[in-house]
Amino acid sequence: MAILVCGGAGYIGSHMVYTLINNGEDVVVIDNLQTGHRASVHEKAKFYEGDIRNTADLDKVFTENDIEAVIHFAANSLVGESMQVPLKYFNNNTCGMETLLEAMVKYDVKKIVFSSTAATYGEPKRVPILETDETNPTNPYGESKRMMEKMMKWVDMANGVKYVSLRYFNVAGAIEDGHIGEAHTTETHLIPIILQVPLGKRDHITVFGTDYPTPDGTCIRDYVHVMDLADAHMKALNYLRQGNESSIFNLGTGEGFSVKEMIDAAEKATGLKIKVEYGQRRAGDPARLIASSEKAQKILDWHPKYTSMEDIIKTAWKWHQTHPNGYED
Ligand SMILES: NC(=O)c1ccc[n+]([C@@H]2O[C@H](COP(=O)([O-])OP(=O)(O)OC[C@H]3O[C@@H](n4cnc5c(N)ncnc54)[C@H](O)[C@@H]3O)[C@@H](O)[C@H]2O)c1
Ligand SMILES: O=c1ccn([C@@H]2O[C@H](COP(=O)(O)OP(=O)(O)O[C@H]3O[C@H](CO)[C@@H](O)[C@H](O)[C@H]3O)[C@@H](O)[C@H]2O)c(=O)[nH]1
């Protein structure tokens, strides 16, 4: 039987496909390539160019393959954009989940591992954030993902589709050998933007806000390596295979780093000076997001290998240096 990876041509999805294949799994990918890259998909995976909102595309995948479980990455995920065009997020993310779950029920597929996000929490009342803390999303992206979690809960109760929802904090880095990595045409993430400066693609990095209630005034985030994340998905899949109940897990390292600290770490990782300018806050940015991943540690036995920001950035740097134009190289 095969694992269906929805959005397997994207940044995190492509790392997941490699990890699954290295673990001896058969993999089928469906991706509409709106932000993904065909070249990022492992050659041993069976690839379908299709849209998860299209029932006919899903029928084809589920009838031509014996699918054991789904790992679901396919989504739009730009926080700022979601504030401008919320319906795009409710359509692709929330409606996409509806058609996918419909197909899973129809074809009797009873396991799903889902990409959720720290954005489901909104502005946290305390850090580190626990899975049982309140969810009050402050943007349509986080809201769409929270709605997707709730849909899975009801479909579990009605149809017995078991889920693991993984709430990622800030995903970063690339596979160690640097042959796949983060290649978003519209890049908003901090680490790739910082690295565009030493790559000569950007004159400086603008730090969004220096007046946050943090020790150096810049926002604090919990950065987790993409390969550690893929490892957590393998563990979540095996957790479902063992017949366990549906559950939600945070995925982060449990340690926060400020934007300034990340720029310092990037200077060390690249050995190059990075020009910085200080700007206004970006709307919707919480001051501090740090995960408690104790639940994932205890129940999934997940222990992230990467805890040094310099090491995480070194893997991203290797990818960007060898692929300055992403998959166009
Ligand atoms: N990158 C992060 O820091 C982060 C943090 C928390 C959660 N997430 C979540 O992880 C997932 C993957 O994120 P990413 O950074 O790899 O994004 P990405 O844009 O690189 O990957 C998403 C993939 O899904 C595909 N896709 C989108 N809509 C589709 C549809 N309707 N049908 C078929 N394919 C579709 C895209 O073409 C792309 O290949 C997303 O669900 C995102 O919300 C990401
Ligand atoms: O040019 C830049 C880009 C970012 N930042 C700051 O860097 C931090 C991290 O920003 P970014 O990399 O854009 O990540 P987040 O906005 O924290 O969001 C990511 O992490 C969330 C979980 O924490 C996920 O929900 C989102 O999908 C994912 O994009 C924030 O304080 C930004 O204000 C800058 O100062 N300058």
Side-chain angles (χ1 to χ4, degrees):
M1 292 185 90
I3 306 301
L4 175 62
V5 182
C6 302
Y11 164 47
I12 304 171
S14 58
H15 288 80
M16 185 71 237
V17 171
Y18 264 79
T19 302
L20 285 163
I21 286 170
N22 284 345
N23 278 278
E25 305 283 351
D26 283 337
V27 180
V28 176
V29 170
I30 181 168
D31 197 301
N32 66 2
L33 300 179
Q34 64 171 37
T35 53
H37 306 272
R38 179 68 183 90
S40 73
V41 181
H42 195 297
E43 59 185 16
K44 286 194 181 149
K46 189 168 170 186
F47 182 77
Y48 288 82
E49 186 170 344
D51 196 299
I52 58 156
R53 290 163 295 179
N54 184 332
T55 306
D57 288 352
L58 290 179
D59 279 339
K60 189 170 163 59
V61 171
F62 281 97
T63 51
E64 289 182 3
N65 302 280
D66 192 6
I67 302 296
E68 179 203 353
V70 173
I71 306 186
H72 181 26
F73 297 97
N76 286 97
S77 57
L78 302 180
V79 171
E81 184 191 61
S82 80
M83 299 289 281
Q84 308 303 319
V85 278
L87 293 177
K88 178 173 175 180
Y89 283 73
F90 295 118
N91 179 300
N92 199 28
N93 299 1
T94 317
C95 298
M97 178 63 108
E98 194 276 329
T99 42
L100 178 63
L101 288 173
E102 200 89 66
M104 289 180 67
V105 171
K106 181 171 169 190
Y107 295 100
D108 201 29
V109 177
K110 292 283 169 65
K111 301 178 202 81
I112 178 167
V113 179
F114 169 60
S115 296
S116 187
T117 164
T120 54
Y121 293 109
E123 187 74 53
K125 293 210 172 99
R126 57 161 186 197
V127 290
I129 304 171
L130 291 171
E131 291 83 351
T132 45
D133 286 352
E134 256 177 73
T135 49
N136 278 316
T138 49
N139 52 67
Y141 164 63
E143 189 81 72
S144 72
K145 290 270 170 167
R146 184 68 189 117
M147 288 165 80
M148 293 158 90
E149 288 184 337
K150 288 184 177 174
M151 285 163 79
M152 290 190 297
K153 184 186 104 176
W154 295 112
V155 174
D156 177 9
M157 285 174 75
N159 307 97
V161 176
K162 298 290 168 205
Y163 66 90
V164 168
S165 181
L166 299 173
R167 291 181 178 161
Y168 319 156
F169 283 62
N170 291 54
V171 187
I175 201 165
E176 288 79 2
D177 69 10
H179 79 282
I180 51 172
E182 192 167 5
H184 293 130
T185 314
T186 312
E187 191 50 82
T188 60
H189 291 132
L190 179 66
I191 294 173
I193 288 180
I194 293 177
L195 293 179
Q196 283 174 1
V197 182
L199 277 175
K201 299 184 114 193
R202 165 187 297 267
D203 173 65
H204 63 271
I205 162 93
T206 304
V207 173
F208 297 146
T210 51
D211 58 350
Y212 284 97
T214 59
D216 67 18
T218 67
C219 285
I220 290 177
R221 294 288 181 272
D222 182 337
Y223 295 87
V224 55
H225 195 271
V226 66
M227 292 307 283
D228 281 328
L229 207 73
D231 176 44
H233 287 69
M234 278 310 302
K235 292 193 149 89
L237 178 64
N238 289 327
Y239 167 91
L240 289 176
R241 281 173 167 162
Q242 287 153 12
N244 290 300
E245 280 309 304
S246 297
S247 200
I248 296 179
F249 298 94
N250 286 338
L251 296 179
T253 62
E255 224 187 314
F257 295 90
S258 72
V259 175
K260 278 188 183 165
E261 286 173 325
M262 293 305 286
I263 295 169
D264 289 346
E267 288 190 337
K268 289 197 185 110
T270 59
L272 296 165
K273 186 91 196 107
I274 293 168
K275 188 174 165 196
V276 182
E277 289 193 0
Y278 296 97
Q280 297 299 310
R281 289 183 177 200
R282 187 174 68 177
D285 274 345
R288 195 189 291 254
L289 288 175
I290 302 172
S292 162
S293 296
E294 271 184 36
K295 187 177 169 192
Q297 284 169 28
K298 272 196 202 128
I299 296 177
L300 298 179
D301 193 25
W302 177 69
H303 304 280
K305 276 196 312 183
Y306 285 91
T307 49
S308 144
M309 293 305 106
E310 209 180 308
D311 289 348
I312 290 182
I313 296 171
K314 272 185 186 159
T315 66
W317 182 231
K318 187 167 182 177
W319 153 254
H320 287 293
Q321 261 192 316
T322 50
H323 302 78
N325 300 311
Y327 290 98
E328 282 163 32
D329 290 311

